[in-house]
């Protein structure tokens, strides 16, 4: 199973990256060429958490409530959550998709860039 656990404002959520998550994105949004990478990371994160809650038989908040929750966080917290989510998504995407060498190289670069951005934030978060 492809998922990660995200902590948002002290609450833990499972963010799933499998076919159910992809279908949730495609059912809920108009996505050019069915390419969910065209959605913002925040939208993808929302749908992956929604799907994770559905698996557990739980109901998640509305997208407006989710955005309000994120709005109450400081910029470091949001960057850390989005970075963690993006790394999980990119790793899952790489594993699931058969990419041509150029696309795989671009994905690897994006993954490395996200991990570099996240490392200084881990130190800041740990120091608090």
């Amino acid at each position: 199973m492809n998922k990660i656990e995200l902590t948002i404002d002290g609450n833990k959520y499972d963010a799933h990256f499998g076919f159910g998550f992809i279908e949730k994105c495609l059912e809920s949004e108009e996505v050019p060429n069915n390419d969910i990478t065209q959605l913002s990371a925040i939208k993808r994160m929302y749908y992956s958490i929604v799907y994770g809650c559905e698996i557990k038989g739980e109901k998640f908040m509305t997208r407006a409530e989710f955005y309000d929750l994120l709005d109450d966080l400081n910029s470091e917290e949001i960057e850390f959550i989005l970075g963690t989510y993006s790394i999980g998504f990119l790793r899952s995407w790489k594993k699931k998709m058969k990419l041509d060498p150029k696309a795989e190289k671009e994905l690897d670069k994006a993954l490395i860039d996200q991990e570099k951005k996240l490392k200084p934030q881990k130190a800041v978060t740990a120091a608090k």
Side-chain angles (χ1 to χ4, degrees), residues 68-119:
D68 281 348
L69 174 68
L70 296 179
D71 284 341
D72 289 339
L73 303 176
N74 67 45
S75 62
E76 287 177 346
E77 292 169 315
I78 292 169
E79 284 182 40
F80 183 77
I81 292 164
L82 281 174
T84 302
Y85 174 80
S86 294
I87 289 168
F89 175 78
L90 291 170
R91 284 183 179 154
S92 172
W93 204 248
K94 181 177 178 179
K95 193 172 164 181
K96 280 189 177 21
M97 304 306 289
K98 186 171 183 116
L99 301 171
D100 64 62
K102 182 182 176 193
E104 187 167 350
K105 190 174 182 177
E106 289 173 9
L107 194 143
D108 285 339
K109 182 183 179 325
L111 192 53
I112 289 167
D113 290 346
Q114 279 297 327
E115 289 171 339
K116 281 181 184 176
K117 285 181 191 176
L118 202 57
K119 282 183 183 173

Side-chain angles (χ1 to χ4, degrees), residues 30-64:
E30 288 191 30
V31 184
N33 301 318
N34 289 335
D35 180 1
I36 65 167
T37 63
Q38 299 299 308
L39 295 175
S40 70
I42 291 175
K43 282 185 182 178
R44 287 193 315 263
M45 182 170 54
Y46 173 75
Y47 291 119
S48 66
I49 294 171
V50 166
Y51 185 67
C53 287
E54 284 181 10
I55 289 172
K56 294 178 179 177
E58 300 171 354
K59 186 170 170 52
F60 189 60
M61 60 188 81
T62 66
R63 197 161 73 189

